[in-house]
Amino acid sequence: MKLDDLVTSSHSWMQGNGPESDIVFSSRVRLARNLADNIFPNRATPNEKAQVLERILAAVKDLEHFKDGLTLKMDELEELDKQFLAERYLISRELAGGGAGSAVVISPDQSMSLMINEEDHIRFQVLLSGFRLRECFAIASQIDEQLETRLEYAYSPRLGYLSACPTNVGTGIRISAMLHLPALILLRQIEQVLQAIIKLGLAVRGLYGEGTEWFGNLFQISNQVTLGRSEEELIASIEKVIRQVMHSEKAARTSLLKTKSAVLYDKVGRAAGILGNAHIITSRETIDHLSTLRMGIDMSLVGDLDRQAVNELFILTQPAHLQKIYGKTLDASVRDVERGTLLRQRLLEK
Amino acid sequence: MKLDDLVTSSHSWMQGNGPESDIVFSSRVRLARNLADNIFPNRATPNEKAQVLERILAAVKDLEHFKDGLTLKMDELEELDKQFLAERYLISRELAGGGAGSAVVISPDQSMSLMINEEDHIRFQVLLSGFRLRECFAIASQIDEQLETRLEYAYSPRLGYLSACPTNVGTGIRISAMLHLPALILLRQIEQVLQAIIKLGLAVRGLYGEGTEWFGNLFQISNQVTLGRSEEELIASIEKVIRQVMHSEKAARTSLLKTKSAVLYDKVGRAAGILGNAHIITSRETIDHLSTLRMGIDMSLVGDLDRQAVNELFILTQPAHLQKIYGKTLDASVRDVERGTLLRQRLLEK
């Protein structure tokens, strides 16, 4: 398996066939772990980081979940490749910024990835289509247990797993889900819903951002705290909130269909019309229209488009993906033209 | 022939097959004439207007050009029907506002119409597809000669034909052409071109308007003066100006294709995508996109749409046309929905 093989392959969660995936695009569990005998990456010398890398790679090598997977060292990658991996959610922007000693191991189906020498020695994630936090956690726990037989973790009986950032100390878990909430936005109820989530102690981010701006009606909801609560408790509490948000979004969709169905059909029709016919289109405009189109598919407003095709376009139209597909680096203005070509081809195919 | 037969029939100029009709949508010659022995309509009593109407209808009845045509009296028409006729350029807004004594006679192919008791006793027009001012004038002259054998015109050897408005005294001719100038607008050269036309003593109006605002990149160029110059001179001078404007628009199109072809394809693609997929669309937005689409067809940027279908939509999507097609009066908001339905149907058919 090579990095370029990823370009034409579909991430498991891009298939969009998980439970409740009309609203919950994906579920993710990430664990942060550190080795007991080594200094944390932010204070480590290049030599120490190299040693940690070797130790962890040796341990990961024969893990069942990463069998036939792909190991990529950051100092051996082009900038474009790093950006490509970040767009696929396979590495963090932080890891992409790391040099010698930083690496990622990716499972063949891309649902699992394990980063080495990011902020912590080890951060690995399980990312699945739909609302499947418990399944993500079960797989992550298997990986965790298998790693623990091979490596000694930095662990405090009082605090739990130690980590470079205090917010990760304890379980070291980050549980998150990407929710698609177009109807709440159309009905201007989103702020109210987001405020309620934040009051419950969870974090909300727009797509790709730490900031308050959002793209494509997509929101990542995640836990803020890991200390003092069990993984079970954390998952149960975030699941409960997600169910409430799902309920609100479903109610908003039903309400829109009843009271503003022409507006809905119009938005979805125009989105399809523009995506299928534009010749110059930015990433931002693309995401917004894809979001509207996806809503149309999920609400059965359009018949002849499949969800996977639209899901894939969310990722394939990103800047680095476009350049990987095209096979070379492209200016933003050329990318806007190539993005139009890709969209027209893909949407006409279906 | 009944008024409702017009709804489903295509105006000859809507076929868009005249010479140079990639830029000159239509050519029109209108003559204003008055009867020698009757007071002008603005001062006439209802009784006098009724007498004039009868005299003129009797004269028109056996004119070859209006054989099997349609005679419509304004006081027998619904408001919607008057608006419908005005949208087709078969009557003026002024005639539509007239009551008893005002009427129109329309030739079977709708290329000729003769209004009675508008501002003048008689105003008739010949309207053809493409750049055919001389042909319009030749037909108008035939009608004029035949009418003159049946009616005595108000004529002064010194001034020429007399009319209710001084701007029409002399030849009583209004020569005009509807030009489609999207490339000059895209290149921001339109103001310069319009100013040049005005300096040459011609009038320019946007579509449907006396004002300066324009819709759909359409401009009507016409003569201002009729006194002191022969019809031949007037036609020659306006033809010369139109040729210059056509030349500028062609040069602008060529330049756009060379330097901004992606922008052109993008505009045309988006226009087609929106018109073919919107569910709520105003008359104004429709005209703008139809204009862009028509440019795409005329510049061979799109292959699978025919010019006549697009031409017809310029007219059929107007408010009164939509209501006539639908068979009843509709609120503006309902019209916007029905306009979307009509556009999707018509553009999918092709």
Side-chain angles (χ1 to χ4, degrees):
Chain A
M1 195 178 178
K2 301 194 307 291
L3 184 140
D4 284 352
D5 295 339
L6 301 180
V7 179
T8 50
S9 73
S10 189
H11 221 295
S12 65
W13 61 264
M14 283 159 73
Q15 292 161 19
N17 50 10
E20 313 284 1
S21 58
D22 56 335
I23 295 176
V24 184
F25 273 23
S26 61
S27 297
R28 176 176 175 262
V29 165
R30 187 269 287 152
L31 294 178
R33 297 291 183 257
N34 286 280
L35 303 188
D37 301 331
N38 295 80
I39 200 160
F40 286 165
N42 59 333
R43 305 289 299 268
T45 64
N47 199 32
E48 285 168 317
K49 284 174 82 169
Q51 281 174 23
V52 165
L53 176 62
E54 289 314 310
R55 282 185 61 193
I56 297 172
L57 282 180
V60 172
K61 207 174 54 177
D62 53 1
L63 285 193
E64 188 195 340
H65 293 91
F66 291 98
K67 196 170 170 246
D68 300 326
L70 181 64
T71 300
L72 299 166
K73 295 181 177 175
M74 289 304 115
D75 58 348
E76 294 173 2
L77 294 180
E78 304 285 336
E79 274 312 308
L80 182 59
D81 289 329
K82 294 182 190 178
Q83 197 189 337
F84 166 81
L85 294 169
E87 284 176 1
R88 292 212 148 204
Y89 305 104
L90 292 171
I91 67 172
S92 62
R93 302 272 169 198
E94 291 73 10
L95 192 81
S102 297
V104 64
V105 186
I106 298 164
S107 71
D109 73 351
Q110 304 170 56
S111 69
M112 292 164 272
S113 72
L114 185 147
M115 297 188 288
I116 302 165
N117 283 323
E118 201 240 29
E119 195 175 37
D120 294 298
H121 289 142
I122 301 173
R123 285 192 171 189
F124 61 94
Q125 71 171 14
V126 180
L127 179 60
L128 298 174
S129 167
F131 190 25
R132 291 198 275 178
L133 292 174
R134 283 169 197 276
E135 198 176 328
C136 290
F137 178 62
I139 299 169
S141 297
Q142 288 168 8
I143 297 170
D144 193 34
E145 282 163 24
Q146 290 174 26
L147 275 179
E148 209 158 8
T149 63
R150 291 163 175 80
L151 299 165
E152 194 189 342
Y153 283 161
Y155 184 83
S156 147
R158 190 170 63 88
L159 295 170
Y161 294 101
L162 301 180
S163 73
C165 177
T167 60
N168 281 308
V169 173
T171 57
I173 199 170
R174 175 68 55 95
I175 303 152
S176 64
M178 186 70 85
L179 272 67
H180 189 225
L181 307 175
L184 287 172
I185 288 176
L186 281 174
L187 285 181
R188 298 172 198 277
Q189 296 172 358
I190 191 71
E191 284 297 346
Q192 185 180 336
V193 169
L194 298 183
Q195 289 310 318
I197 296 169
I198 290 163
K199 274 190 190 155
L200 290 166
L202 299 178
V204 184
R205 297 176 187 175
L207 182 63
Y208 291 114
E210 297 269 346
T212 53
E213 205 194 3
W214 60 74
F215 294 164
N217 307 318
L218 285 166
F219 298 87
Q220 189 196 60
I221 298 180
S222 63
N223 64 310
Q224 297 254 41
V225 184
T226 87
L227 191 65
R229 298 179 71 185
S230 74
E231 291 91 341
E232 272 301 325
E233 284 171 344
L234 290 168
I235 290 178
S237 75
I238 199 166
E239 270 192 348
K240 191 176 161 191
V241 172
I242 288 170
R243 283 194 200 286
Q244 285 167 349
V245 177
M246 277 169 54
H247 179 77
S248 302
E249 171 67 17
K250 279 184 185 164
R253 291 184 186 186
T254 304
S255 161
L256 279 172
L257 259 185
K258 272 191 198 157
T259 61
K260 293 187 176 181
S261 97
V263 173
L264 272 185
Y265 276 100
D266 186 56
K267 281 189 78 75
V268 173
R270 284 170 183 257
I274 290 171
L275 290 173
N277 291 281
H279 284 249
I280 301 175
I281 188 161
T282 63
S283 178
R284 172 65 197 263
E285 186 185 358
T286 301
I287 289 178
D288 286 339
H289 292 322
L290 285 172
S291 159
T292 303
L293 202 51
R294 172 72 197 253
M295 175 185 72
I297 294 167
D298 292 335
M299 294 178 73
S300 305
L301 306 176
V302 284
D304 54 349
L305 280 165
D306 80 59
R307 187 192 281 182
Q308 184 172 347
V310 172
N311 275 13
E312 287 176 1
L313 286 171
F314 270 97
I315 303 299
L316 297 179
T317 56
Q318 296 300 306
H321 271 75
L322 266 184
Q323 293 173 83
K324 289 297 289 182
I325 292 167
Y326 204 77
K328 63 177 180 182
T329 58
L330 303 171
D331 282 347
S333 63
V334 179
R335 288 203 299 269
D336 290 349
V337 172
E338 291 307 322
R339 185 175 293 113
T341 306
L342 180 76
L343 284 163
R344 293 197 312 284
Q345 284 171 348
R346 295 270 170 157
L347 292 171
L348 280 178
E349 273 173 19
K350 300 296 165 183
Chain B
M1 196 176 178
K2 301 193 308 293
L3 183 140
D4 285 352
D5 295 339
L6 300 180
V7 180
T8 51
S9 74
S10 190
H11 220 296
S12 65
W13 61 264
M14 282 160 72
Q15 292 161 20
N17 50 9
E20 313 284 2
S21 58
D22 57 335
I23 295 177
V24 184
F25 273 23
S26 60
S27 296
R28 176 177 175 262
V29 164
R30 187 270 287 151
L31 294 178
R33 297 290 183 258
N34 287 279
L35 304 188
D37 302 331
N38 296 80
I39 200 160
F40 287 165
N42 59 332
R43 306 288 299 268
T45 63
N47 198 34
E48 285 168 317
K49 285 174 81 170
Q51 282 174 24
V52 165
L53 176 63
E54 288 315 310
R55 282 187 62 196
I56 297 173
L57 282 180
V60 173
K61 206 174 56 175
D62 54 0
L63 285 195
E64 186 196 339
H65 292 91
F66 291 98
K67 196 168 171 249
D68 300 324
L70 181 64
T71 300
L72 299 166
K73 296 181 178 176
M74 288 305 115
D75 57 349
E76 295 173 1
L77 293 181
E78 305 284 338
E79 274 312 308
L80 182 59
D81 289 328
K82 295 183 189 176
Q83 197 189 337
F84 166 81
L85 294 169
E87 285 176 3
R88 291 212 149 207
Y89 306 103
L90 292 171
I91 66 172
S92 63
R93 303 273 170 197
E94 290 73 11
L95 192 80
S102 297
V104 65
V105 186
I106 300 165
S107 72
D109 72 352
Q110 305 170 57
S111 69
M112 292 164 272
S113 71
L114 185 145
M115 296 187 289
I116 303 167
N117 284 323
E118 202 240 29
E119 196 175 39
D120 293 298
H121 289 142
I122 301 173
R123 284 193 171 187
F124 62 95
Q125 70 172 15
V126 179
L127 179 59
L128 297 174
S129 168
F131 191 26
R132 291 198 276 178
L133 292 174
R134 284 169 195 277
E135 199 175 328
C136 290
F137 178 62
I139 298 168
S141 298
Q142 287 168 9
I143 296 170
D144 193 35
E145 283 163 23
Q146 290 174 26
L147 275 179
E148 208 158 8
T149 63
R150 292 163 174 82
L151 299 166
E152 194 189 340
Y153 283 160
Y155 184 83
S156 146
R158 189 169 63 86
L159 295 170
Y161 294 102
L162 301 179
S163 71
C165 177
T167 60
N168 282 307
V169 172
T171 57
I173 198 170
R174 175 68 53 97
I175 303 153
S176 64
M178 186 71 82
L179 272 66
H180 190 224
L181 307 175
L184 288 172
I185 288 175
L186 280 174
L187 284 181
R188 298 172 197 279
Q189 294 173 359
I190 191 71
E191 284 297 347
Q192 186 180 335
V193 169
L194 297 183
Q195 288 311 317
I197 296 170
I198 291 163
K199 273 189 191 156
L200 290 165
L202 298 178
V204 184
R205 296 176 188 177
L207 182 63
Y208 291 114
E210 296 270 347
T212 53
E213 204 194 4
W214 59 75
F215 293 165
N217 307 318
L218 285 166
F219 299 87
Q220 189 196 60
I221 298 180
S222 63
N223 64 310
Q224 298 254 42
V225 183
T226 87
L227 191 65
R229 298 179 70 186
S230 74
E231 291 90 340
E232 271 302 327
E233 284 170 345
L234 288 168
I235 290 177
S237 75
I238 198 166
E239 270 192 349
K240 190 176 162 192
V241 172
I242 288 171
R243 282 195 200 286
Q244 285 166 350
V245 177
M246 277 171 54
H247 179 77
S248 301
E249 171 67 17
K250 278 184 186 164
R253 292 184 185 185
T254 304
S255 161
L256 279 171
L257 258 186
K258 271 192 198 153
T259 61
K260 294 187 176 184
S261 100
V263 173
L264 273 185
Y265 277 100
D266 187 56
K267 280 188 79 75
V268 173
R270 284 171 183 257
I274 290 170
L275 290 173
N277 292 280
H279 284 248
I280 302 175
I281 189 161
T282 64
S283 178
R284 172 66 198 264
E285 186 184 356
T286 301
I287 288 178
D288 285 339
H289 292 321
L290 284 173
S291 159
T292 303
L293 200 53
R294 172 73 197 253
M295 175 185 72
I297 293 167
D298 292 335
M299 294 178 74
S300 306
L301 305 176
V302 284
D304 53 349
L305 281 166
D306 80 59
R307 187 190 281 182
Q308 184 173 346
V310 172
N311 274 12
E312 287 177 0
L313 285 171
F314 270 97
I315 303 299
L316 297 180
T317 56
Q318 296 299 306
H321 271 74
L322 266 184
Q323 294 173 81
K324 290 295 287 180
I325 292 167
Y326 204 77
K328 62 177 180 183
T329 59
L330 302 171
D331 281 348
S333 63
V334 179
R335 289 203 299 270
D336 290 348
V337 172
E338 291 307 321
R339 186 176 292 112
T341 306
L342 180 76
L343 284 163
R344 294 197 312 282
Q345 284 170 350
R346 295 271 170 155
L347 292 171
L348 279 178
E349 270 172 21
K350 300 295 165 184

